[in-house]
Amino acid sequence: MRSRLLLPFAMITSATLFLTACGSGGPGGAGASAVAARSGGVPTTDVVSAERKDDAAAGLLPAGTTRLTVAISVGGTPPGTTYLPDGTTLTGQDVDFTKAVAKVLGVRLKVEQASFEAILPALDSGKYDFGASNFGVTDERRRTIDFVTYVNDGQGFATRGDSELTRITDLRQLCGLNVATGAGTTFEATLEENKHVCADAGKKAYQVQTYSEQSAIWSSVQQGRSDVVMSTINGLRYAVAHQPGLKFLGEYHRLDVGFAFRKGTKLAPAFQAAVNKLLADGTYARILKKWGTTGSAIGKSRISPPELKRPADRAA
């Protein structure tokens, strides 16, 4: 795990942790990011800095709120949070949404880097005001966490290009395989909770291998220690498009994704209004276009909606 970085969002300078204006063009320059993506680089188009404070949304914040502490996990693979080549500046879809919401609300951000699995448990203690790391909204998490949704992503699978697997729609297809995934994620929970499906079918159980960083997951697959990766749909599609010798095995379970807060937070209405403002003014669409995730668009932000169910689950 990398050392924690504590940096304010007070000024837009080259020293700030979040990516600020760079690359070509302003909000309309998304074409440059597409070129970067095709060449294997990280998109750098600035689609956020033109955003301005919205008094109506900001008025929903608790009185006196001027600065918020956000926890972000660096996954290492776009569109998730990663570093620019300078090794210190964070960028990614979650970073852009966090920056944009802060601008709409007129607040400064104190950014803390933390491991993915540590963020949600720390919210209740007040260590962070919110987390922004592609957190899927599940019924289990909603018992202790409040969410404000901003995209729809979910769970999927990928593997090496030489694998005999072509598509995974049922966890029983994983029986006898080694499955690599992120620690503390919905993927790990889904795999662990459903291990019984192999025994129920009279087959050898799959083995769950957890890692804290995406780079370690992909190394495990490329080197043959793991047979399959279970991760975010968007992250898998990006990896397959930019890493040779990989193939996408399909979507498994769509989930809403949201900013995460301690249960009972007073911040949720303001964040919801801010996301809806981004949807209305076009910044939302520009962020998704930049990261190649337009298929994850939502129509409106919601506060802690019920977990989306798989079609097979709804039919059961």
Side-chain angles (χ1 to χ4, degrees):
M1 184 179 71
R2 296 181 178 90
S3 59
R4 201 181 306 161
L5 298 174
L6 308 181
L7 289 173
F9 193 68
M11 299 179 65
I12 298 179
T13 71
S14 60
T16 49
L17 180 64
F18 280 170
L19 172 65
T20 57
C22 61
S24 60
S33 65
V35 173
R38 287 196 297 271
S39 66
V42 178
T44 58
T45 305
D46 173 23
V47 293
V48 173
S49 65
E51 194 65 45
R52 296 292 179 261
K53 181 179 178 181
D54 181 80
D55 290 336
L60 298 174
L61 287 169
T65 303
T66 59
R67 188 178 78 160
L68 297 171
T69 299
V70 56
I72 292 183
S73 172
V74 180
T77 304
T81 303
T82 188
Y83 289 105
L84 286 180
D86 63 16
T88 58
T89 305
L90 292 182
T91 185
Q93 179 172 268
D94 294 319
V95 170
D96 278 347
F97 273 115
T98 302
K99 285 175 52 183
V101 165
K103 283 182 167 292
V104 171
L105 297 179
V107 297
R108 299 166 61 193
L109 292 175
K110 179 181 179 182
V111 182
E112 293 202 18
Q113 184 182 321
S115 63
F116 182 89
E117 62 269 28
I119 295 176
L120 295 185
L123 292 174
D124 190 55
S125 69
K127 184 176 183 180
Y128 314 122
D129 293 302
F130 69 104
S133 289
N134 206 69
F135 289 110
V137 181
T138 68
D139 289 338
E140 176 66 26
R141 285 177 172 172
R142 289 194 309 132
R143 295 173 184 170
T144 56
I145 301 293
D146 281 342
F147 293 94
V148 173
T149 62
Y150 57 95
V151 291
N152 176 272
D153 193 351
Q155 305 173 334
F157 294 96
T159 188
R160 294 184 303 279
D162 60 2
S163 171
E164 295 181 358
L165 293 168
T166 58
R167 186 170 180 81
I168 293 178
T169 59
D170 190 310
L171 295 184
R172 285 172 292 190
Q173 294 173 264
L174 302 175
C175 296
L177 301 180
N178 293 323
V179 186
T181 195
T185 61
T186 61
F187 320 115
E188 180 185 10
T190 296
L191 291 168
E192 293 292 352
E193 290 169 4
N194 291 281
K195 267 189 172 180
H196 64 87
V197 299
C198 294
D200 294 347
K203 298 180 179 181
K204 181 180 178 181
Y206 53 74
Q207 298 300 311
V208 183
Q209 302 168 320
T210 59
Y211 299 89
S212 294
E213 296 188 4
Q214 285 291 317
S215 59
I217 292 176
W218 291 116
S219 294
S220 179
V221 171
Q222 295 281 28
Q223 296 170 12
R225 297 191 305 274
S226 302
D227 301 296
V228 179
V229 172
M230 187 179 192
S231 189
T232 67
I233 295 167
N234 288 334
L236 293 175
R237 289 189 183 279
Y238 191 97
V240 168
H242 294 86
Q243 293 188 49
L246 298 176
K247 63 180 177 182
F248 184 60
L249 296 176
E251 300 181 4
Y252 177 71
H253 183 190
R254 278 275 174 179
L255 288 172
D256 287 319
V257 169
F259 296 110
F261 305 83
R262 67 186 299 176
K263 195 70 176 175
T265 181
K266 302 297 184 183
L267 296 171
F271 271 69
Q272 180 188 33
V275 174
N276 285 331
K277 171 65 165 55
L278 298 177
L279 279 160
D281 68 19
T283 297
Y284 183 93
R286 287 188 284 272
I287 292 173
L288 294 190
K289 184 177 181 180
K290 171 182 176 178
W291 296 104
T293 56
T294 54
S296 286
I298 59 174
K300 64 178 180 179
S301 178
R302 296 191 293 168
I303 297 175
S304 297
E307 178 180 347
L308 295 175
K309 300 300 182 181
R310 295 181 67 231
D313 296 333
R314 290 197 296 267

